[in-house]
């Protein structure tokens, strides 16, 4: 009947599967001393010891005590290495008690070994021990992967440790592949006019048929081996799949809901209990040979799936140094699939390689150790449009969830926002800022965002010149005041009164570390991360006092949208990542709305779009900046690092995803260690990306650099900023590759402007129109002609 659940099948309860109970560990409770256990291994010889203890026991008369005083690795193993085959399910349990004073890492896992006697993985199935003082049962499930023939259970750690071990057990339960083969299996399928969506009853893998083009999306097997489906039900437009995650020892429910009309569906995951390991589900689809991956990594990047040089990455959806917008996908330039992470606060993706091809897989992290709230991932399929269609769909989604606020709306609330449109971002520390600004304006550089904070009289003079006056500020890093005399430099932005009670703590009770400062002894000393809960109040007091004498009309808040949303385990101000995001956004809202300042932040994340006006770093792809770009900002690079040339400024890789979604909402600059004149040999190319994307440049210079490159700075400004002034309030409606090698590209803006750029080494001759020179561009219609 319509609307009623139909049970496709119900597999087994876990209890019915647990048929084997023989403990393969001899002397599991140390009642025979340390017999049948290997010696405690210490990476630092002599740093640890193991002994018998008859006072602290879980059961029986004895337990083993491990005392480790070194800073490196240690491990303890029972003297048993078990023969296994692919699909075997083994359960490794150990009762552990930990001295709460020590904060080193402790976990249980296994090493896996191949037929050749070589180790495959030293930390297979690793499960971390929580930092509690009472006895706790640590459990790890191992589903044996292909190529493994032996398994060695282990207790491992790093750093200082004082703990007790008792009642260990390794049990080989059953073979998952055999049990799956014995089950009555029927694939569950739902459909609408455009899609057929199926769930495999053996491993919960999702597959899709796009009926418009008969394209099949088949899941990869790599992340689906360690789950067991226990129930599968289907209605007309919905599938409920119950499965057990061995890596988490957790029962999980997945509900797949197919849209009635659109080529879209969502996967919603729920569970009750600990999420011990990040959950990687659903499995990614296999990619096609002509596909490229689409990632909103800062402005955006694409990776051909066969590119052998791309390194694996882990990209959180809750950091400007991860996914700046909560989507990803793959396409051949026309058809494709995108995923929108509708619950991004504890989500990430992994860029992995499978059978030689790059792929993207989702990952869900715990919320304070628990599965927590429902996790939701949306699938969207296209038969045409490629990465532009993905960006347009995400723009629609951003409007639906309240992430959208245009620059025109922001200008209505704060007229100074208009000064930002078409303004070059200038970083200069020479002094006499009004004199330099006058000299720049006399040379033709009229619109200026002056980012360095200046004395009150100079700010007034800059304001009189029409410059947008800003200053640097930060509410992340604080340092132990006791260390101030030991450091080479102290920051005026550290809040001494916030130490130590205002510092965040991780799950092990350690303070969360931030920026490192060099000491007079040459050693690096980490700051602590200020609780995001406290930041708005400190900012309110600091900014109010600052504005009494310094009439800034802009403020740059460093790190807030670059560093991740963080969990805080401090009893004084505990936070989830969602809490962290909320307080970070409150800080930015305070600056932009309460103080009515044009507001910028570092790198960028779309959670902040309603609260800020510009990002420094959105144009720069974070993994591909020059080394030490955050410290050696003024260093000019005359040799180009290969990754900078290939990826950072590689027209074959970059995509203007951010501009396709938010060009009319935000102003995007390069990072302050990756500005237009940073690498002179790539200056022209960097300018071309600004022209193509409709974004303003950034200059960093001292008097010497200005005198040597004055005409070049002026040319950069004149080529870019009048265009940005024209299109600054307009959305980007299209981005096209006009040649197969992507050397010639085109963008279109809602006000009628079309920009064509030729990154190639030879002139480009369009079918109709004038030739575009190598490293040249064309703007149609011309500036001011619409």
């Amino acid at each position: 009947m319509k609307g009623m659940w139909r049970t496709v099948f119900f597999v087994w309860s876990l209890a019915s599967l647990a048929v084997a109970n023989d403990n393969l560990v001899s002397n599991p409770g140390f009642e025979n001393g340390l017999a049948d256990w290997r010696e405690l291994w210490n990476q630092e010889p002599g740093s640890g010891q193991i002994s018998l203890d008859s006072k602290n026991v879980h059961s029986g008369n004895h337990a083993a005590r491990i005392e480790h005083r070194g800073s490196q690795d240690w491990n303890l193993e029972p003297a048993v290495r078990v023969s296994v085959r692919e699909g075997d399910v083994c359960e490794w349990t150990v009762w552990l008690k930990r001295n709460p004073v020590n904060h080193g890492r402790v976990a249980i896992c296994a090493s896996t070994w191949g037929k050749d006697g070589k180790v495959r993985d030293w930390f297979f199935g690793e499960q971390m021990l929580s930092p509690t003082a009472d006895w706790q049962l640590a459990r790890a499930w191992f589903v044996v992967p292909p190529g493994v023939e032996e398994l060695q259970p282990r207790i491992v750690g790093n750093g200082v440790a004082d703990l007790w071990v008792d009642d260990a057990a390794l049990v080989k339960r059953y073979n998952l592949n055999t049990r799956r083969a014995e089950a009555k299996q029927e694939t569950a399928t739902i459909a609408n006019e455009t899609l057929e969506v199926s769930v495999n009853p053996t491993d919960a893998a999702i597959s899709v048929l796009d009926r418009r083009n008969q394209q099949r999306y088949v899941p990869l097997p790599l992340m689906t081996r360690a789950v067991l489906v226990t129930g599968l039900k289907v209605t007309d437009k919905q599938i409920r799949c119950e499965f057990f995650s061995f890596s988490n020892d957790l029962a999980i429910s997945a509900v797949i809901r197919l849209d009635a009309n659109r080529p879209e569906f969502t996967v919603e995951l729920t569970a009750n209990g600990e999420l011990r390991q990040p959950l990687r589900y659903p499995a990614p689809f296999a990619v096609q040979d002509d596909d490229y991956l689409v990632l909103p990594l800062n402005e955006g990047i694409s990776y051909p799936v066969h590119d052998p040089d791309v390194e694996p990455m882990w990209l959180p959806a809750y950091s400007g140094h991860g996914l700046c917008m909560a989507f990803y996908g793959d396409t051949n330039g026309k058809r494709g699939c995108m995923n929108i992470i509708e619950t991004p606060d504890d989500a990430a993706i992994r860029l992995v390689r499978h059978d030689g091809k790059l792929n993207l897989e989702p990952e869900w992290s715990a919320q304070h150790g628990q599965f927590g709230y429902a996790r939701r991932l949306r699938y969207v399929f296209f038969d045409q449009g490629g990465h532009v269609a993905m960006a347009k769909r995400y723009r629609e989604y951003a409007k639906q969830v309240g992430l959208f606020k245009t620059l025109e709306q922001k200008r209505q609330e704060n007229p100074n926002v208009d000064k930002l449109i078409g303004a070059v971002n200038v970083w200069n520390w020479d002094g006499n800022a009004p004199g330099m600004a006058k000299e720049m304006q006399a040379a033709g550089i009229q619109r200026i965002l002056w980012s360095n904070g200046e004395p009150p009289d100079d700010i007034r003079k800059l304001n009189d010149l029409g410059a947008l006056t800003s200053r640097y500020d930060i509410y992340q890093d604080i340092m132990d005041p006791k260390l101030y005399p030991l450091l080479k430099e102290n920051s005026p932005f550290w809040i001494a009164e916030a130490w130590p009670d205002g510092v965040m703590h991780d799950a092990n009770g350690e303070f969360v570390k931030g920026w490192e400062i060099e000491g007079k002894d040459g050693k690096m000393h980490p700051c602590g991360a200020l609780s995001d809960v406290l930041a708005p109040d400190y900012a309110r007091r600091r900014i109010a006092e600052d504005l009494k004498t310094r009439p800034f009309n802009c403020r740059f808040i460093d790190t807030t949208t670059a560093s991740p949303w963080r969990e805080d385990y401090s009893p004084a101000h505990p936070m989830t990542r969602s809490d962290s995001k909320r307080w970070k956004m409150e800080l930015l809202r305070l600056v932009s709305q309460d103080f009515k300042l044009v507001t910028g932040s570092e790198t960028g994340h779309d959670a902040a779009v309603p609260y800020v006006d510009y990002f420094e770093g959105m144009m720069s792809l974070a993994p591909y900046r020059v080394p030490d770009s955050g410290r050696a900002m003024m260093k000019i690079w005359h040799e180009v690092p290969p990754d900078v040339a290939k990826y950072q400024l590689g027209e074959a890789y970059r995509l203007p995803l951010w501009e396709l979604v938010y060009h009319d909402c935000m102003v995007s600059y390069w990072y302050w260690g990756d500005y237009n004149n940073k690498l002179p040999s790539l200056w022209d190319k960097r300018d071309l990306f600004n022209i193509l994307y409709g974004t303003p440049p950034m200059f960093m210079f001292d008097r010497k650099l200005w005198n040597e490159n004055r005409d070049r700075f002026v040319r950069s400004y004149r080529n870019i900023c009048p265009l940005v002034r024209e299109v600054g309030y307009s959305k980007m409606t299209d981005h096209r590759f006009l040649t197969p090698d992507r050397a010639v590209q085109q963008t279109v803006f809602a006000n009628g402007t079309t920009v064509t750029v030729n990154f190639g080494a030879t002139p480009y001759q369009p079918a109709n129109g004038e030739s575009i020179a190598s490293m040249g561009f064309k703007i149609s219609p011309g500036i001011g002609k619409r």
Side-chain angles (χ1 to χ4, degrees):
M1 294 177 61
K2 186 175 180 181
M4 296 293 290
W5 285 110
R6 176 169 60 88
T7 301
V8 177
F9 76 100
F10 192 86
V11 190
W12 322 276
S13 69
L14 292 173
S16 69
L17 288 169
V19 295
N21 292 292
D22 293 336
N23 187 355
L24 302 176
V25 177
S26 299
N27 190 27
F30 301 95
E31 299 308 305
N32 295 323
L34 299 176
D36 299 312
W37 288 79
R38 297 191 174 98
E39 292 185 3
L40 182 71
W41 176 86
N42 302 289
Q43 188 172 1
E44 300 169 83
S47 61
Q49 64 181 22
I50 183 170
S51 60
L52 285 178
D53 193 315
S54 59
K55 295 182 179 180
N56 269 306
V57 300
H58 176 255
S59 69
N61 297 314
H62 295 100
R65 182 180 184 181
I66 297 172
E67 297 171 278
H68 186 261
R69 296 293 174 261
S71 60
Q72 299 189 49
D73 293 348
W74 58 266
N75 74 67
L76 177 66
E77 300 176 346
V80 56
R81 187 176 294 180
V82 181
S83 295
V84 293
R85 61 190 177 97
E86 181 182 347
D88 279 351
V89 176
C90 301
E91 182 184 15
W92 169 227
T93 58
V94 188
W95 282 93
L96 299 167
K97 181 178 180 180
R98 188 172 179 178
N99 186 335
V101 175
N102 75 79
H103 299 298
R105 182 181 67 89
V106 179
I108 65 171
C109 62
S111 57
T112 55
W113 302 77
K115 185 177 181 180
D116 56 5
K118 295 182 179 179
V119 71
R120 294 291 188 268
D121 189 341
W122 284 109
F123 301 98
F124 182 66
E126 184 178 46
Q127 296 288 345
M128 300 292 292
L129 183 69
S130 59
T132 58
D134 204 356
W135 282 100
Q136 57 184 299
L137 179 64
R139 174 186 282 111
W141 290 92
F142 308 129
V143 180
V144 177
V148 171
E149 297 204 355
E150 290 184 315
L151 185 144
Q152 170 66 60
R154 313 175 76 208
I155 304 168
V156 300
N158 177 271
V160 175
D162 185 13
L163 74 154
W164 290 262
V165 181
D166 206 353
D167 297 332
L170 178 68
V171 179
K172 189 187 293 186
R173 293 297 187 186
Y174 48 86
N175 186 274
L176 184 57
N177 295 337
T178 301
R179 290 305 177 92
R180 285 172 171 171
E182 294 171 352
K184 294 181 180 180
Q185 300 177 354
E186 182 182 341
T187 298
T189 301
I190 51 178
N192 63 16
E193 290 186 1
T194 55
L195 298 181
E196 289 182 9
V197 182
S198 300
V199 177
N200 190 315
T202 63
D203 57 12
I206 299 170
S207 57
V208 176
L209 171 65
D210 190 331
R211 291 174 158 179
R212 296 167 297 180
N213 54 17
Q214 297 303 302
Q215 178 69 42
R216 291 191 179 274
Y217 294 86
V218 181
L220 291 177
L222 72 167
M223 294 316 302
T224 60
R225 299 182 186 278
V227 302
L228 172 67
V229 176
T230 57
L232 195 61
K233 297 180 181 180
V234 63
T235 58
D236 184 36
K237 293 291 187 294
Q238 184 166 304
I239 299 172
R240 181 182 297 276
C241 177
E242 312 286 346
F243 65 90
F244 182 76
S245 167
F246 288 98
S247 62
N248 282 290
D249 194 16
L250 185 65
I252 298 172
S253 176
V255 176
I256 296 92
R257 295 185 177 93
L258 180 62
D259 190 274
N261 301 304
R262 304 179 76 165
E264 301 184 10
F265 65 88
T266 59
V267 178
E268 184 171 278
L269 304 172
T270 55
N272 293 312
E274 289 184 65
L275 189 63
R276 301 178 179 182
Q277 296 288 326
L279 177 66
R280 299 175 192 170
Y281 180 85
F285 296 129
V287 295
Q288 305 300 309
D289 288 341
D290 58 345
D291 283 359
Y292 59 89
L293 304 181
V294 176
L295 282 168
L297 176 65
N298 307 119
E299 263 293 347
I301 195 166
S302 63
Y303 293 117
V305 297
H306 283 290
D307 192 318
D309 299 326
V310 179
E311 296 292 332
M313 293 186 199
W314 177 79
L315 298 169
Y318 47 86
S319 169
H321 285 180
L323 298 182
C324 296
M325 298 179 284
F327 77 91
Y328 59 95
D330 74 270
T331 179
N332 67 351
K334 296 180 180 179
R335 57 116 185 104
C337 171
M338 75 177 291
N339 292 102
I340 299 175
I341 308 171
E342 295 191 355
T343 51
D345 290 356
D346 298 281
I349 64 168
R350 288 186 177 272
L351 176 63
V352 297
R353 197 176 296 277
H354 183 72
D355 289 339
K357 299 177 186 177
L358 295 170
N359 215 311
L360 299 169
E361 61 186 34
E363 180 179 282
W364 309 100
S365 297
Q367 184 187 52
H368 266 232
Q370 301 295 307
F371 190 95
Y373 57 93
R375 314 303 179 93
R376 192 168 55 255
L377 186 68
R378 177 173 295 273
Y379 287 75
V380 185
F381 296 84
F382 305 95
D383 58 354
Q384 59 185 351
H387 67 272
V388 175
M390 293 182 191
K392 288 182 176 181
R393 177 63 183 91
Y394 188 77
R395 180 180 168 98
E396 176 189 349
Y397 171 78
K399 291 180 178 180
Q400 292 172 345
V401 297
L403 295 176
F404 205 82
K405 187 174 184 179
T406 66
L407 285 164
E408 178 59 34
Q409 290 173 306
K410 295 171 183 179
R411 184 184 69 82
Q412 292 296 328
E413 296 176 359
N414 181 359
N416 282 326
V417 168
D418 189 62
K419 294 182 178 180
L420 186 67
I421 310 303
V424 57
N425 190 341
V426 174
W427 283 97
N428 174 272
W429 290 271
D430 285 343
N432 189 23
M436 175 58 73
K438 285 182 181 178
E439 189 173 338
M440 294 174 71
Q441 290 181 333
I445 301 176
Q446 295 296 319
R447 303 185 68 84
I448 299 170
L449 164 60
W450 193 272
S451 286
N452 186 37
E454 301 290 348
D457 286 346
D458 284 356
I459 297 167
R460 294 185 183 93
K461 292 175 182 178
L462 287 168
N463 288 339
D464 291 342
L465 292 171
L468 182 61
T469 51
S470 184
R471 69 159 301 169
Y472 175 95
D473 203 353
I474 185 172
Y475 297 93
Q476 173 178 276
D477 298 313
I478 55 177
M479 179 64 76
D480 184 350
K482 294 178 182 177
L483 297 179
Y484 287 8
L486 306 179
L487 304 175
K488 286 188 174 181
E489 59 179 355
N490 294 311
S491 170
F493 300 101
W494 293 339
I495 304 168
E497 67 182 81
W499 190 278
D501 294 340
V503 179
M504 293 186 188
H505 287 78
D506 63 22
N508 290 321
E510 298 281 357
F511 75 81
V512 174
K513 296 175 176 59
W515 191 251
E516 292 186 334
I517 305 295
E518 187 176 1
K520 295 174 182 177
D521 58 359
K523 296 180 180 179
M524 302 301 289
H525 300 269
C527 291
L530 176 69
S531 168
D532 294 318
V533 174
L534 305 178
D537 183 59
Y538 284 120
R540 186 182 301 276
R541 286 184 273 164
R542 177 188 291 171
I543 296 172
E545 187 65 25
D546 196 21
L547 291 177
K548 288 179 180 179
T549 57
R550 297 184 175 191
F552 294 109
N553 44 41
C554 180
R555 205 170 190 94
F556 174 72
I557 309 298
D558 199 12
T559 77
T560 298
T561 55
S563 62
W565 324 147
R566 291 186 170 100
E567 292 192 329
D568 188 357
Y569 289 80
S570 167
H573 33 72
M575 287 191 308
T576 64
R577 291 189 186 93
S578 297
D579 295 330
S580 174
K581 178 181 73 172
R582 179 166 60 89
W583 287 107
K584 282 174 177 279
M585 297 310 106
E586 172 58 19
L587 168 64
L588 298 174
R589 188 209 62 78
L590 170 77
V591 179
S592 64
Q593 296 180 16
D594 288 5
F595 285 106
K596 301 297 182 183
L597 295 172
V598 177
T599 304
S601 193
E602 184 191 355
T603 304
H605 191 285
D606 72 345
V609 169
Y611 312 109
V612 299
D613 308 298
Y614 71 96
F615 288 130
E616 282 195 14
M618 183 56 73
M619 284 289 291
S620 299
L621 310 181
Y624 305 119
R625 300 170 184 169
V626 297
D628 214 18
S629 59
R631 295 182 186 272
M633 291 97 69
M634 282 292 295
K635 179 181 177 181
I636 300 298
W637 283 69
H638 295 283
E639 294 185 8
V640 180
D643 277 359
V644 174
K646 181 174 182 177
Y647 300 112
Q648 182 69 272
L649 294 171
E651 68 275 11
Y653 290 87
R654 289 185 64 109
L655 297 174
L657 298 176
W658 180 266
E659 305 311 321
L660 284 163
V661 178
Y662 289 121
H663 185 270
D664 54 339
C665 296
M666 298 289 301
V667 175
S668 303
Y669 289 103
W670 301 96
Y671 179 62
W672 74 342
D674 185 52
Y675 39 87
N676 288 64
N677 57 299
K678 181 74 172 181
L679 298 99
S681 64
L682 294 177
W683 193 339
D684 289 347
K685 195 170 191 181
R686 203 180 287 268
D687 285 1
L688 286 181
F689 276 113
N690 282 124
I691 294 166
L692 183 67
Y693 291 5
T695 59
M698 175 187 285
F699 302 155
M700 184 177 289
F701 55 81
D702 56 17
R703 168 55 67 176
K704 181 174 183 294
L705 269 177
W706 168 258
N707 289 340
E708 292 173 350
N709 296 277
R710 176 184 177 279
D711 292 344
R712 182 65 189 84
F713 283 118
V714 172
R715 176 158 57 94
S716 185
Y717 177 89
R718 288 177 171 171
N719 283 342
I720 301 169
C721 290
L723 166 67
V724 177
R725 184 67 185 163
E726 286 275 324
V727 302
Y729 291 105
S730 295
K731 71 177 180 179
M732 181 186 286
T733 60
D734 202 3
H735 170 248
R736 306 162 185 158
F737 301 119
L738 301 186
T739 56
D741 62 358
R742 302 188 177 185
V744 183
Q745 299 185 24
Q746 190 175 82
T747 52
V748 181
F749 296 88
N751 71 342
T753 301
T754 298
V755 179
T756 308
V757 165
N758 181 9
F759 295 103
T762 59
Y764 170 71
Q765 180 61 59
N768 297 304
E770 299 177 0
S771 173
I772 301 176
S774 168
M775 298 301 290
F777 63 93
K778 181 181 179 181
I779 300 170
S780 302
I783 300 300
K785 294 183 179 181
R786 53 196 51 75

